[in-house]
């Protein structure tokens, strides 16, 4: 990204950070249907590509949505993931695990037409059962759209830092 | 073969819980199972050009698989012969040579030591570079799938796959194009013994309806009826289980190849367009297998789901942990859009964040870690489902179980695992070639069943 992009005004920046805080609260309290309905646009592309560890001299291009990805979801696919959690038969989540998010380094830029490019860092802590604790760090690249007095995300790219996931799965929203 | 039935009892169809926990068992596995078996290294499609390489594991050994200028593949231990440093730290790439970070020793694409910094001045012409190449392992390929083996006395890869090739050819060759793998692999750590997922893939159709109830209910399709085990279906007419000489095996659910894929138009059309040619080449039984869904493991630690098309390697990291690598299998001659959609659907179900993958992880880790308990570990596990409802078949090679929900291929996996642990060398294994399947005692099961049906 360019450093010459137009930063948003302070009130918009505050509103975007507040939006992210609400998003985290919905996830931490298991309100996934509400999150999807209110905060995700129906034209969402929700994407977590796989980055190999390659030599700096390696000229192969970065991954595209046509390549292998951990998430590569449209709205219907995200909805399927959400609904699975309400099925009452996800034994791994019963008793439920705990998840805690830290979102920081929010940088927001005005992309025109009521759209915003927003970069942030996310730390995810998951606690399961008695002793299992895992940590994931991600860089997040969003495109948000102003909808009424709030925002909806319509592009989300999640850059997970670990090459080898040190967890059973990455089935959480972020 | 010893008669000690402690670790695996082929008569009672049970295993000691020590097999998932004990360090001594694991060390013996490294030597006698992983050290002597053909282990999956990669597929030609992952390193298509001369100079292309990938780094992987053979059990806990780090290995470089390298595409040679003559088109062949070589594999060598990823460790410098000078002071042992890891030679290459990239996942994949294209390299004229591999240079060790420590002192700069240079290895060629074939693993030979080709250059040593300051050689003349510091080694005074006394260094025999020809003797200091990276340590090689055997490499052989079958239908594009590349395997490595650390045992000079092991049979060829074709012999090792043995009569299982009768089944593999159905999909690895198919109508002619065969399969390829799409990477890069997803990688994740799972705190379980490597045999837990291997046995799950080789022969656990039983868990599908219960473990995956939530996901199957959302996906719908052919397998939705299994969700919560509510299905009222005649399991014996829906598929089979198979086990073969060297422990390779699978279960098949008939007519369910693409069942887990929600967006399946391209894949379903590909199967419909090619099945007749498969039938012409391989006969009606294999045409039926071609459009079924397979849960499969190739002994010891490589598994796949054909139809869903996820492809897994379970790299062991001690007795209680594995590194899971997940690729996608696609038909080589499918169009790009079909390949891409198969990859997306395979990943959505069995990738690191997959809707079904996420159901399995805890079962695998808890089945391992409960055995920390001393009283617990002094006990056994049961895999007797379907004993007697299996036997040699007039058409299908190996031993055939009557239903995809059974533990025939599970028992067959542990039968061979025990044989490998007991055998001092491959000659001792080969000595059992004619009577390996005698533990499956109902020799007339299929003859009787077929006669009764006629």
């Amino acid at each position: 990204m360019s450093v010459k992009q137009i930063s948003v005004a302070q009130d918009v920046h505050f509103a975007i950070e507040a939006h992210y805080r609400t998003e985290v609260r919905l996830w931490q309290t298991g309100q996934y249907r509400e999150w999807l309905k209110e905060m995700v646009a129906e034209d969402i592309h929700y994407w977590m590509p796989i980055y190999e560890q390659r030599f700096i001299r390696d000229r192969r291009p970065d991954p595209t949505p046509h390549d292998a990805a951990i998430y590569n979801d449209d709205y219907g696919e995200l909805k399927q993931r959400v609904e699975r959690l309400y099925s009452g038969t996800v034994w791994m989540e019963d008793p439920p695990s705990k998840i805690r998010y830290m979102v920081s380094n929010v940088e927001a830029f005005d992309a025109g037409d009521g759209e915003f490019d927003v970069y942030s860092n996310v730390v995810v802590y998951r606690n399961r059962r008695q002793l299992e604790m895992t940590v994931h760090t991600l860089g997040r690249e969003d495109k948000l759209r102003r909808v009424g007095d709030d925002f909806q995300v319509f592009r989300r790219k999640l850059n997970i830092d670990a090459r080898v996931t040190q967890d059973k799965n990455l089935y959480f929203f972020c | 073969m010893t008669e000690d039935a402690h670790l695996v009892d082929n008569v009672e169809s049970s295993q000691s819980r020590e097999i998932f926990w004990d360090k001594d068992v694991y060390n013996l596995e490294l030597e006698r199972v992983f050290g002597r078996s053909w282990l999956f290294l990669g597929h030609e499609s992952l390193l298509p050009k001369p100079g292309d390489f990938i780094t992987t594991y053979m059990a806990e050994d780090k290995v470089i698989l390298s595409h040679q200028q003559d088109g062949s593949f070589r594999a060598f231990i990823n460790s410098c012969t000078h002071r042992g440093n890891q030679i290459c730290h990239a996942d994949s790439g294209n390299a004229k040579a591999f240079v060790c970070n420590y002192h700069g020793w240079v290895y060629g694409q074939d693993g030979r030591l080709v250059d040593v910094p300051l050689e003349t001045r510091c080694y005074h012409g006394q260094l025999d570079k020809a003797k200091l190449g990276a340590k090689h392992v055997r490499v052989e390929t079958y239908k594009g799938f590349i395997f490595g083996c650390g045992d000079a006395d092991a049979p060829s890869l074709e012999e090792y796959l043995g009569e299982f090739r009768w089944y593999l050819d159905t999909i690895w060759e198919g109508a002619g194009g065969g399969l390829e793998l799409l990477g890069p692999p997803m990688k994740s750590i799972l705190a379980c013994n490597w045999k837990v997922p291997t046995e799950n893939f080789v022969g656990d159709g039983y868990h599908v309806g219960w473990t995956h109830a939530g996901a199957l209910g959302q996906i719908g399709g052919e397998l939705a009826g299994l969700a919560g085990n509510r299905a009222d279906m005649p399991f014996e007419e829906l598929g089979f289980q198979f086990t073969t000489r060297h422990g390779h095996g699978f279960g098949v659910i008939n007519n369910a190849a693409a069942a887990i894929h929600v967006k399946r138009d391209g894949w379903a059309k590909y199967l419909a367009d090619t099945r007749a040619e498969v039938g012409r080449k391989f006969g009606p039984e294999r045409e039926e297998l071609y459009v079924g869904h397979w849960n499969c493991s190739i002994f010891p630690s490589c598994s796949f789901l054909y139809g869903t098309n996820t492809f897994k390697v379970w790299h062991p990291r001690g007795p209680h942990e594995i590194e899971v690598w997940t690729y996608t299998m696609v038909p080589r001659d499918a169009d790009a859009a079909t390949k891409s959609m198969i990859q997306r659907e395979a990943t959505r179900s069995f990738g690191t964040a997959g809707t079904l993958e996420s159901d399995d992880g805890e079962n695998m880790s808890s089945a391992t870690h409960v055995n920390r308990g001393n009283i617990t570990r002094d006990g056994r596990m049961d895999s007797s489902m379907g004993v007697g409802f299996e036997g040699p078949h007039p058409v299908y090679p190996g031993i055939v179980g009557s239903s995809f929900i059974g533990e025939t291929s599970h028992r067959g996996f542990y039968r061979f695992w025990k044989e490998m642990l007991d055998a001092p060398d491959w000659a001792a294994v080969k000595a059992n070639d004619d009577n390996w399947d005698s533990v499956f005692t109902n020799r007339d099961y299929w003859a009787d069943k077929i006669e009764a049906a006629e």
Side-chain angles (χ1 to χ4, degrees), chain A residues 4-169:
Chain A
K4 290 180 182 169
Q5 283 172 284
I6 305 161
S7 292
V8 297
Q10 219 169 20
D11 59 333
V12 176
H13 201 279
F14 182 82
I16 288 172
E17 289 200 307
H19 174 86
Y20 282 158
R21 284 191 287 273
T22 303
E23 187 170 46
V24 162
R25 179 167 50 77
L26 292 178
W27 288 331
Q28 289 180 172
T29 53
Q31 300 181 73
Y32 302 113
R33 282 176 175 155
E34 290 77 4
W35 166 69
L36 191 67
K37 183 166 181 289
E38 302 295 333
M39 310 194 91
V40 180
E42 292 194 6
D43 58 343
I44 180 76
H45 180 234
Y46 185 95
W47 184 39
M48 187 187 288
I50 301 167
Y51 282 90
E52 278 194 298
Q53 295 204 347
R54 294 177 179 169
F55 288 125
I56 293 167
R57 66 168 186 267
D58 196 319
R59 297 285 183 82
R60 286 177 290 172
D62 280 346
T64 74
H66 298 294
D67 296 312
I70 295 167
Y71 281 87
N72 204 355
D73 283 10
D74 63 21
Y75 190 85
E77 291 164 339
L78 271 183
K79 188 171 165 56
Q80 198 185 78
R81 291 187 194 270
V82 164
E83 290 304 318
R84 171 179 168 272
L85 297 173
Y86 290 85
S87 67
T89 52
V90 180
W91 317 127
M92 262 181 93
E93 288 299 319
D94 190 9
S97 58
K98 295 286 198 300
I99 191 161
R100 195 68 61 192
Y101 296 81
M102 313 293 159
V103 177
S104 73
N105 298 67
V106 175
E107 259 191 306
F109 302 96
D110 198 326
D113 297 327
E115 296 182 356
F116 304 91
D117 294 330
V118 189
Y119 303 85
S120 57
N121 289 348
V122 185
V123 182
V124 184
Y125 286 83
R126 300 169 94 189
N127 273 270
R128 299 190 69 262
R129 300 300 189 234
Q130 303 292 313
L131 289 169
E132 289 177 33
M133 204 276 280
T134 56
V135 183
H136 305 279
T137 62
L138 304 98
R140 196 166 67 176
E141 300 174 17
D142 278 354
K143 285 183 179 295
L144 302 184
R145 180 182 295 138
R146 174 83 76 179
V147 176
D149 57 0
D150 201 357
F151 305 92
Q152 286 189 332
V153 62
F154 65 99
R155 292 284 180 282
R156 178 158 281 179
K157 183 183 177 195
L158 299 163
N159 298 309
I160 191 157
D161 293 327
R163 175 64 183 102
V164 182
T165 298
Q166 298 198 41
D167 203 343
K168 290 182 169 65
N169 61 63

Side-chain angles (χ1 to χ4, degrees), chain B residues 298-319:
Chain B
I298 297 172
F299 189 92
S301 55
C302 165
S303 299
F304 62 80
L305 301 174
Y306 167 73
T308 297
N309 283 7
T310 192
F311 188 99
K312 304 267 191 184
V313 190
W314 321 107
H315 298 294
R317 296 169 51 93

Side-chain angles (χ1 to χ4, degrees), chain B residues 6-280:
Chain B
H6 174 63
L7 292 181
V8 174
D9 187 330
N10 287 323
V11 176
E12 296 296 324
S13 303
S14 69
Q15 302 88 32
S16 165
R17 287 161 171 268
E18 291 168 14
I19 69 169
F20 289 165
W21 191 260
D22 277 24
K23 183 78 177 159
D24 290 347
V25 171
Y26 179 73
N27 287 339
L28 198 60
E29 286 176 328
L30 288 182
E31 175 194 325
R32 296 197 162 188
V33 174
F34 291 101
R36 303 195 301 206
S37 297
W38 285 94
L39 306 175
F40 173 79
L41 293 178
H43 188 281
E44 290 169 2
S45 57
L46 300 170
L47 53 171
K49 299 187 301 293
D52 285 352
F53 70 89
I54 59 175
T55 54
T56 183
Y57 293 97
M58 291 173 65
E60 302 217 39
D61 289 300
K62 290 174 184 261
V63 173
I64 298 172
L65 174 64
S66 168
H67 190 144
Q68 305 299 294
Q69 292 301 324
D70 67 3
S72 66
F73 296 90
R74 303 194 80 167
F76 43 91
I77 300 298
N78 190 357
S79 173
C80 183
T81 54
H82 174 217
R83 303 307 307 157
N85 214 42
Q86 183 170 332
I87 299 168
C88 178
H89 291 272
D91 288 355
S92 72
N94 185 284
K96 290 190 173 62
F98 300 96
V99 184
C100 178
N101 288 347
Y102 200 175
H103 303 94
W105 281 28
V106 181
Y107 297 86
Q109 290 168 341
D110 56 2
R112 279 185 305 121
L113 180 61
V114 293
D115 193 45
V116 170
L118 311 174
E119 183 184 352
T120 312
R121 274 180 287 166
C122 298
Y123 285 99
H124 313 289
Q126 293 172 341
L127 190 73
D128 188 353
K129 294 207 293 293
K131 286 186 177 167
L132 290 166
K135 189 173 185 176
H136 274 88
V137 296
R138 292 171 67 187
V139 175
E140 293 180 19
T141 66
Y142 189 70
K143 311 276 185 200
F145 289 79
I146 307 168
F147 290 75
C149 181
D151 184 357
D153 296 327
S156 69
L157 175 62
E158 290 205 0
E159 285 177 74
Y160 177 79
L161 294 171
E163 80 278 37
F164 197 60
R165 288 179 293 141
W166 190 90
Y167 298 103
L168 280 180
D169 289 352
T170 311
I171 57 171
W172 284 16
E173 185 178 320
L179 295 173
E180 63 183 14
L181 291 188
L182 300 181
M186 283 166 273
K187 301 180 179 180
S188 62
I189 295 291
L190 188 55
C192 73
N193 183 270
W194 65 272
K195 294 185 292 304
V196 185
T198 306
E199 69 165 47
N200 176 274
F201 274 65
V202 82
D204 196 329
Y206 190 29
H207 84 293
V208 176
W210 190 250
T211 293
H212 299 302
L216 289 180
Q218 290 305 312
I219 289 167
E222 292 86 340
L223 300 186
L226 296 176
N229 290 333
R230 289 187 301 268
D232 176 26
M233 44 177 68
F235 290 121
E236 293 209 351
E237 287 160 27
L238 287 182
F240 300 104
Q241 283 207 331
F242 307 92
T243 189
T244 58
R245 172 67 188 100
H246 295 135
H248 322 306
F250 70 113
V252 62
I253 309 177
N254 292 339
N255 293 311
I260 300 292
H261 288 208
V262 176
K263 295 174 182 171
R264 63 167 84 158
D265 291 353
W267 179 213
K269 183 173 188 306
Y270 181 90
L271 289 167
D273 289 349
T274 50
R275 66 174 292 173
E277 175 62 11
V278 171
R280 194 190 63 74

